[in-house]
């Protein structure tokens, strides 16, 4: 991840900026720890100054002067609109009027073609081969908000036909899948990996390749994906601009606590 | 105890009298902030066993209790400590080795479970969980649930909305209440009766506190009663819920306590490294936790200059410019 | 509107643009404290009609809206103004004359209904109501509920606890959520984006605010954004819920606003006397409410010395020694 | 009510002191507006200094330096343990651990022999002859707390065979009545009227006359009661002491805002 590529930026920087570009001005941005937090900070500083950074721990509209290393970091509590708690934060997302303005940024250990996520176990739930942290707020966010952006490492064992455990709902099993189980219409919109950008087809809700980073081919992406991807719509992804990189590096994470 | 006028006691006495082997315990805080670490370490020192632990995302405290072998069963949403441990290491090992029974919920579900307990309700509804394996897979089997009356008979129950499609919610997940035997939280200020003030985010501490049969509050500062009562809008916990008040400065260390001190990146990084290996973890436990007689001795193991670097800046509430890599 | 950076507007503009005839409205405050009276009087001046009003125990505001003929339907727990009117007079007359359809709940039920709306849930459970006529008797008939999609199909639903006797609660009453078209609350401080701070008891204002599709905040003081953000533990409402901010000193008068002014016993006593008689009430309405163009002119009808006697003592937050008989 | 009787105290003063005597030290006292608030203040100042005065509006452990004229009066917000809201206050009563330590003081327009209360309407609910304020928190308190004390004016039309509307549950229809409908075991314990004190028989949960004030006969009480009362157990009620009256008059309501 720390490998620098041709014109002087890392894949991790590109991922962050790709996510930042997905955030609309005025949106309420739910973010977790690490790269998703940095993406929200980058969006706020670059293209979405009226967006509101928001944490499941209860902080709304944090003024992030240093990058937090967890969503409970005291740095998220500084100059917020309200310091509440988990109950208020998740209610804001489940709320019909505010939840519809929230974009959630999530990560996971596994993803399937419909954008359903696993962040709980690999193997059998009762006797797992690998145990992860568990849902945290991921299931809640994926269930409540208007749309989600998902960060993934692009590996075959992570893009799978069938999840070992469905922690957070995506499009479930295709069009109408969410509605059938009782959820609202919002769902995953974009998957940002270290290779490119994937989106979901309107008609099928299946993941397709939307763009490759410079130097990445659609075939490479398919090779590292455990299910068949539509590669036909893949475009070249515009690399980070100098302005974007400058703000990301100098204003968002000058200590390179997350970028490295 | 709850109506007594003076609940101030020592940590050792509070843990001895209220934490019994096999009891149901919940601890406050979130990942690397305001975990009641002094109390966690005292529980480890008193070698409590068989705890049934409830948490949402209380990373560091949970991992140390699990690592020290105090925990029999864990109900949790998230076991991580932010960048210091995306998955808590001793937790991960214990689960992968089959040494710990875990029941998974989401953060909101756990919050609602504590909230239901605090509200005196058997359950609360949410839309979170529909369609997921959190509903399908039970960590605690039906047999266990049927044989242990301290557990609800079901993990979660899905129902149709009895009000039709009111609020566009055709289905709801009901999450069962938690009423722990004991909750322990760490706060910035409390008075001797137990009125308490949390500064910064409250996480789910207030719900966890009010859901419990017994409540231990550890605090940075013990203040005069009228100090808190003069500004009651800023207090969250009235004394009527409280059993014991333990003044213990740096009581959340090595996690942070907003406006008092930051988390200790060096400690947390060292902890993770120690946790990766069983032998080095036993050394950590013996040297860092069990050898010191109490939290003061534990703190004395860190050099004063280092601790001073963690002291919060009065404006921002954290240690500005702290070396955190 | 909610994401705009400056939501400051006049009361007349806010009421004109957001309060439509027949809309569903809820107002904050409790009996004789922090009712959004300036907004209530502006609604009366703009002769809004057919309002569907939700309140828990918001005495004075409710009674004046009912008395002025603005209200078609009322869902409420309590219509009283403490010692000044054990039952609100215009409310009582309107109900006894069949001019107002009322649906009765308890205070906690109404609170939970707003809370459900704020939480994005169709209902919340409680044990309150079991065995009472609050469940049996419906003010809104089945036919009305079936024909009006802005109403839940049932008033209340009783269910068996799906978790058996967990928490010793074999049965629960489910109360349906309220999502008003508009909520109006009066607070002590707000900034131009709508971040708001309530001092003293919050009643159910926060739940009412967050449950609403649109939110109007009237405030005693408009403050700089960073003033509130510097102390976020003391704020309750983030700007993301807010549509309009209206600075309006004495905006809760003649009800109290903690730390700013007390309720006006003379006004409230005179009001009750006027309310007892239809003719004197019409005179009250014409002279006191409709004649003044706005809240400032309304306030100018009271002599300054009298208003000054209501100003809150800085230590206690109320007017110490105020003549209240 | 303002009539002074033989040895220099009013019936209203006697009622207040009778209620204050019913409060145990260390209890959490829920009180409403008026005489019930004064009773809580009297108890706190006379015999139950460790009791905690508590209001449905969210104030816990108020330091009442002036008598409030409503439960939302700013006077209840002064020097409290916590200033919350209705949600917290009612949760404290529904809570299994704190609710069992709460004594509630209620009033009503009608009461039946099982202590069920009406504070909603006289006549038909849809077209009432008289409309009252409604439940407020009364139904909640009567449903949740450990025990209740009820203030009533003693009139035949108020002590009725059948309530026009059951607002707040008492013993419902006798032993096991509460449990059958799903409520906890706590219920009404004492009814304090302007004539005397009534309690509920353990075996039948029916109201009986426990004491008459000086100058009141059991027969007079029966005459003003719309159902048959067991009068056999009626004792003479010890009148207010000078110390009690002094504190009530001088410390609790010196302005006689409620006593008059």
């Amino acid at each position: 991840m720390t490998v620098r590529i041709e014109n002087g930026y890392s894949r991790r920087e590109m991922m962050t900026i790709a996510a930042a570009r997905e955030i609309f001005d005025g949106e309420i941005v739910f973010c977790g720890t690490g790269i998703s937090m940095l993406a929200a900070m980058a969006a706020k500083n670059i293209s979405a100054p009226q967006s509101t950074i928001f944490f499941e721990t209860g902080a709304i509209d944090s003024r992030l002067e240093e990058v937090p290393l967890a969503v409970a970091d005291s740095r998220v509590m500084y100059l917020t609109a309200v310091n509440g708690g988990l109950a208020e934060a998740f209610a804001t997302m489940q709320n019909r009027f505010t939840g519809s303005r929230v974009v959630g940024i999530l990560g996971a250990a596994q993803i399937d073609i419909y954008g359903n996520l696993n962040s709980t176990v690999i193997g059998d739930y009762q006797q797992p081969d690998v145990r992860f942290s568990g849902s945290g707020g991921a299931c809640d966010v994926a269930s409540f908000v208007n749309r989600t952006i998902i960060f993934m490492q692009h590996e075959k064992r992570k893009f799978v036909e069938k999840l070992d455990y469905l922690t957070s709902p995506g499009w479930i099993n295709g069009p109408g899948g969410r509605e059938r189980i009782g959820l609202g219409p919002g769902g995953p919109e974009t998957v940002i990996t270290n290779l490119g950008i994937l989106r979901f087809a309107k008609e099928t809700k299946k993941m397709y390749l939307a763009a490759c980073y410079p130097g990445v081919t659609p075939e490479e992406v398919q090779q590292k994906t455990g299910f068949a991807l539509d590669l036909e719509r893949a475009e070249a992804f515009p690399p980070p601009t100098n302005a974007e990189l400058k703000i990301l590096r100098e204003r968002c994470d000058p200590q390179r606590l997350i970028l490295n | 105890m709850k109506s007594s006028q003076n609940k101030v006691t020592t940590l050792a006495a509070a843990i001895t009298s209220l934490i019994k082997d096999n009891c149901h315990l919940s601890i406050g805080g979130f990942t690397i902030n305001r975990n009641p670490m002094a109390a966690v370490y005292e529980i480890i020192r008193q070698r409590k066993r068989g705890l049934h632990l409830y948490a949402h995302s209380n990373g560091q405290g949970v991992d140390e209790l699990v690592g020290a072998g105090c925990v029999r069963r864990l109900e949790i949403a998230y076991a991580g400590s932010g960048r210091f441990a995306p998955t808590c290491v001793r937790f991960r090992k214990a689960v992968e080795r089959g040494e710990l029974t875990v029941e998974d919920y989401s953060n909101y579900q756990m919050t609602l479970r504590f909230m239901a307990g605090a509200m005196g309700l058997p359950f609360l509804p949410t839309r979170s969980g529909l369609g997921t394996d959190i509903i399908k897979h039970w960590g605690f089997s039906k047999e266990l649930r049927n044989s242990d009356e301290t557990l609800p008979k079901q993990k979660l129950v899905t129902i149709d909305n009895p009000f039709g499609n009111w609020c566009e919610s055709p289905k709801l997940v009901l999450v069962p209440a938690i009423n722990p035997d004991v909750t322990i939280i760490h706060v910035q200020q409390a008075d001797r009766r137990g009125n308490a003030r949390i500064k910064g985010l409250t996480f789910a501490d207030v719900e966890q506190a009010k859901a419990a049969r017994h409540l231990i509050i550890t605090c940075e500062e013990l203040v005069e009663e009228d100090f808190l009562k003069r500004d009651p809008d800023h207090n969250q916990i009235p004394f009527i819920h409280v059993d014991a008040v333990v003044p213990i400065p740096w009581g959340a260390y090595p996690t942070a306590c907003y406006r008092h001190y930051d988390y200790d990146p060096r400690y947390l990084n060292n902890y993770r490294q120690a946790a990766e290996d069983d032998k080095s973890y036993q050394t950590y436990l013996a040297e860092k936790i069990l050898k010191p007689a109490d939290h003061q001795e534990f703190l004395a193991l860190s050099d004063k200059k280092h601790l001073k670097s963690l002291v919060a800046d009065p404006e921002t509430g954290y240690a500005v410019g702290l070396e955190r890599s």
Side-chain angles (χ1 to χ4, degrees), chain A residues 89-123:
Chain A
F90 288 109
T92 299
M93 292 189 270
Q94 199 175 220
N95 180 297
R96 301 161 76 201
F97 311 119
T98 43
S100 60
R101 284 144 54 210
V102 175
V103 55
I105 315 182
L106 300 173
Q110 286 184 331
I111 188 168
D112 71 13
I113 198 165
Y114 295 112
N116 303 302
L117 305 176
N118 172 15
S119 48
T120 304
V121 291
I122 298 293

Side-chain angles (χ1 to χ4, degrees), chain B residues 109-131:
Chain B
Q109 287 170 346
M110 285 306 289
T111 304
L112 290 172
R113 295 186 66 200
F114 291 122
M115 197 190 293
M119 293 170 78
L121 290 171
F123 63 83
L124 281 170
T126 175
R127 289 201 308 277
S128 179
L130 292 169

Side-chain angles (χ1 to χ4, degrees), chain A residues 33 55-60 63-79 82-88 90-91 93-96 120-121 125-141 143-144 163-169 172 179-184 255-258, chain B residues 30-33 56-57 76-84 86-87 91-92 95-96 102-109 111 115 125-135 137-139 155 167-171 199-204 207 256-259 261-263 315-325:
Chain A
T33 301
F55 297 96
E56 67 193 287
T57 43
I60 298 186
R63 179 98 43 99
L64 296 177
E65 302 208 333
E66 293 188 2
V67 64
L69 296 185
V71 295
D73 194 314
S74 298
R75 285 154 189 79
V76 309
M77 307 182 193
Y78 181 56
L79 283 181
V82 173
N83 274 340
L86 276 69
E88 289 85 4
F90 288 109
M93 292 189 270
Q94 199 175 220
N95 180 297
R96 301 161 76 201
T120 304
V121 291
Y125 178 66
Q126 297 290 343
Q127 294 175 304
D129 300 325
V130 187
R131 171 71 213 203
F132 300 109
S133 61
S135 161
C139 171
D140 310 310
V141 175
S143 301
F144 299 152
L163 302 176
D164 288 35
Y165 184 101
L166 198 169
T167 312
S168 307
I172 305 294
E179 290 80 353
R180 271 193 298 277
I181 59 168
L183 289 174
Q255 295 180 278
R256 300 192 76 78
L257 292 169
I258 291 175
Chain B
F30 196 107
T31 59
I32 53 172
N33 209 317
H56 41 88
S57 293
I76 200 173
Y78 185 83
S81 292
R83 213 211 44 178
F84 299 100
T87 302
F91 159 82
R92 175 169 56 72
V95 178
E96 288 170 8
V102 179
E103 191 67 281
D104 272 279
Y105 292 91
S106 73
N107 259 347
Y108 193 39
Q109 287 170 346
T111 304
M115 197 190 293
T126 175
R127 289 201 308 277
S128 179
L130 292 169
T132 71
D133 285 335
I134 296 176
I135 293 181
H137 290 307
W138 290 17
K155 179 185 180 184
C167 300
E168 289 132 45
S169 294
K171 281 176 196 297
K199 298 184 185 180
L201 298 174
T202 53
F203 308 132
E207 292 81 3
C257 188
Y258 183 59
R259 300 221 158 273
Y261 44 88
D262 220 319
Y263 48 84
E315 160 73 13
T316 61
Y318 57 86
V320 174
L322 177 66
E323 166 61 40
R324 293 186 289 151
S325 54

Side-chain angles (χ1 to χ4, degrees), chain A:
Chain A
M1 279 300 285
T2 58
V3 184
R4 304 210 154 240
I5 57 173
E6 52 268 42
N7 38 1
Y9 51 87
S10 70
R11 284 273 166 88
R12 204 162 166 83
E13 285 173 333
M14 171 157 260
M15 287 172 78
T16 310
I17 286 167
R21 289 175 182 168
E22 297 284 320
I23 293 166
F24 304 133
D25 205 13
E27 276 189 309
I28 302 166
V29 187
F30 167 93
C31 49
T33 301
I35 190 169
S36 80
M37 201 179 277
L38 207 54
M41 287 173 79
K44 176 95 188 162
N45 280 292
I46 299 169
S47 53
Q50 304 304 332
S51 60
T52 301
I53 296 181
F54 163 75
F55 297 96
E56 67 193 287
T57 43
I60 298 186
D61 202 26
S62 307
R63 179 98 43 99
L64 296 177
E65 302 208 333
E66 293 188 2
V67 64
L69 296 185
V71 295
D73 194 314
S74 298
R75 285 154 189 79
V76 309
M77 307 182 193
Y78 181 56
L79 283 181
T80 66
V82 173
N83 274 340
L86 276 69
E88 289 85 4
F90 288 109
T92 299
M93 292 189 270
Q94 199 175 220
N95 180 297
R96 301 161 76 201
F97 311 119
T98 43
S100 60
R101 284 144 54 210
V102 175
V103 55
I105 315 182
L106 300 173
Q110 286 184 331
I111 188 168
D112 71 13
I113 198 165
Y114 295 112
N116 303 302
L117 305 176
N118 172 15
S119 48
T120 304
V121 291
I122 298 293
D124 179 56
Y125 178 66
Q126 297 290 343
Q127 294 175 304
D129 300 325
V130 187
R131 171 71 213 203
F132 300 109
S133 61
S135 161
C139 171
D140 310 310
V141 175
S143 301
F144 299 152
V145 308
N146 185 45
R147 63 194 192 95
T148 54
I149 297 166
I150 300 158
F151 276 113
M152 291 294 298
Q153 280 303 306
H154 219 131
E155 300 172 30
K156 203 160 194 157
R157 57 177 190 146
K158 289 173 180 275
F159 283 72
V160 295
E161 278 283 359
K162 184 160 171 36
L163 302 176
D164 288 35
Y165 184 101
L166 198 169
T167 312
S168 307
W171 298 115
I172 305 294
N173 55 4
R178 289 179 67 90
E179 290 80 353
R180 271 193 298 277
I181 59 168
L183 289 174
E189 219 172 70
T190 311
V191 181
I192 295 172
T193 82
N194 48 318
L195 300 180
I197 310 291
L198 302 102
R199 300 189 194 276
F200 296 87
K202 239 187 196 151
E203 322 74 40
T204 63
K205 299 294 186 195
K206 286 187 182 174
M207 201 187 295
Y208 69 89
L209 182 64
C212 295
Y213 297 149
V216 178
T217 63
E219 291 66 33
E220 184 187 347
V221 173
Q222 178 61 77
Q223 215 169 24
K224 294 192 170 160
T225 303
F227 45 81
L229 276 178
D230 173 4
L231 308 173
E232 295 303 303
R233 304 193 234 177
E235 297 174 0
F237 189 78
T241 65
N242 284 336
E244 286 171 328
L245 282 170
K246 190 174 155 68
I247 290 172
L248 179 63
R249 291 170 182 173
E250 294 177 12
R251 213 183 299 170
C252 301
D253 189 13
Q255 295 180 278
R256 300 192 76 78
L257 292 169
I258 291 175
L259 285 175
N260 277 357

